Amino acid sequence: EKFTEYVFLQEIPENRKSGENGIIPLEGYLFPDTYIVYEDASPEDIMRKMLTQFQKVYDDTMKQRAEELGMTMDEVVTLASIIQREARKTEEFPKISAVFHNRLKKEMNLESCATVQYIINENRWSLTEEEMNIDSPYNTYINQGLPIGPISSPGRLALVSALNPYEEFMDPKRPYLYFVLKDPNTGEHAFNYNYNAHLKDKEKYEKEWKKLEQNNQ
């Protein structure tokens, strides 16, 4: 019952507050930034600084936009946390957001590797079939919709992107639903609205990753 002064934390769903299943209730709300901290500061003091910063960043404009999209703040933070982990190039944040918004609309599973990487606590590009089937409320390969909660602490760009997906990818006649990592070094992705084109890209680029992964081992 700490941090009761932060009203926005009341939005965290009850099923996460209990902290069962290895869930960290405040995951996503401890805003990533550079903080000046006194040597004798307690962990709670530091957490308060981070929560206060989150409160500043998640301003009225963001709240209003979330309302327009029919999203709760917790859903925005959860989606932003996945974008934060999936995107590396600034211009791709809103594009990755658009793909996830489109998948949510179509009630397709998000199938985000980042959610599985969070469960296994490893940053591997290629996941095994077994890992993609891990029974966890964070696994977006087997569960529909957003995971039970955030998988990282999203920065401002990820929050803004979660609320403002890339318009050109949102055309209802041709929604972009797929992306695959093109280059692990730059973090660039290939985006597709056509499943067969996506499969071709996947086949092409996965060969490259596997080579890289073997070289890095």
Side-chain angles (χ1 to χ4, degrees):
E1 285 308 301
K2 288 170 189 161
F3 310 121
T4 46
E5 70 268 37
Y6 297 100
V7 180
F8 64 86
L9 293 179
Q10 289 169 9
E11 281 207 29
I12 293 176
E14 287 304 318
N15 62 356
R16 219 164 69 236
K17 283 182 184 164
S18 63
E20 285 167 35
N21 301 327
I23 290 164
I24 303 160
L26 289 181
E27 182 85 80
Y29 290 91
L30 300 170
F31 194 77
D33 212 335
T34 307
Y35 297 97
I36 293 165
V37 176
Y38 293 110
E39 265 182 63
D40 60 354
S42 69
E44 274 171 40
D45 294 336
I46 298 166
M47 285 163 92
R48 279 204 162 82
K49 265 184 189 287
M50 297 170 99
L51 290 167
T52 301
Q53 186 60 8
F54 175 87
Q55 202 168 20
K56 274 187 204 154
V57 171
Y58 200 90
D59 57 12
D60 288 343
T61 313
M62 286 198 191
K63 285 176 193 158
Q64 201 181 327
R65 180 70 183 134
E67 242 171 74
E68 285 166 17
L69 292 172
M71 292 175 83
T72 65
M73 177 172 65
D74 197 62
E75 287 168 341
V76 174
V77 175
T78 301
L79 178 57
S81 76
I82 302 174
I83 297 166
Q84 184 71 55
R85 288 279 296 261
E86 291 275 9
R88 275 178 33 211
K89 292 174 82 71
T90 308
E91 68 273 18
E92 286 193 357
F93 275 68
K95 291 178 178 177
I96 284 173
S97 173
V99 169
F100 288 140
H101 272 280
N102 289 332
R103 291 184 84 97
L104 287 168
K105 251 193 218 122
K106 284 189 169 289
E107 297 186 353
M108 293 169 76
N109 286 10
L110 291 184
E111 298 189 355
S112 158
C113 295
T115 60
V116 177
Q117 289 166 346
Y118 179 72
I119 303 161
I120 62 172
N121 203 14
E122 276 188 52
N123 267 349
R124 262 184 291 114
W125 304 310
S126 39
L127 298 164
T128 66
E129 198 68 35
E130 200 181 347
E131 286 163 345
M132 288 183 206
N133 282 297
I134 293 171
D135 184 15
S136 161
Y138 285 101
N139 187 348
T140 57
Y141 278 89
I142 59 168
N143 299 305
Q144 211 186 23
L146 291 164
I148 191 167
I151 60 163
S152 70
S153 290
R156 189 188 298 266
L157 177 62
L159 287 165
V160 169
S161 299
L163 290 163
N164 300 281
Y166 188 61
E167 289 270 325
E168 281 175 43
F169 281 11
M170 303 285 288
D171 180 348
K173 290 194 193 78
R174 216 176 61 173
Y176 277 71
L177 296 165
Y178 314 99
F179 63 83
V180 62
L181 187 62
K182 243 168 121 165
D183 183 345
N185 293 319
T186 64
E188 193 184 345
H189 292 86
F191 294 87
N192 281 294
Y193 50 85
N194 178 294
Y195 185 59
N196 287 331
H198 168 65
L199 288 181
K200 274 184 195 150
D201 277 349
K202 205 167 177 271
E203 200 183 346
K204 182 164 84 183
Y205 297 120
E206 275 184 359
K207 278 181 199 149
E208 299 301 313
W209 304 345
K210 297 236 164 84
K211 268 187 233 157
L212 275 168
E213 274 192 332
Q214 278 157 1
N215 295 344
N216 290 341
Q217 274 166 8

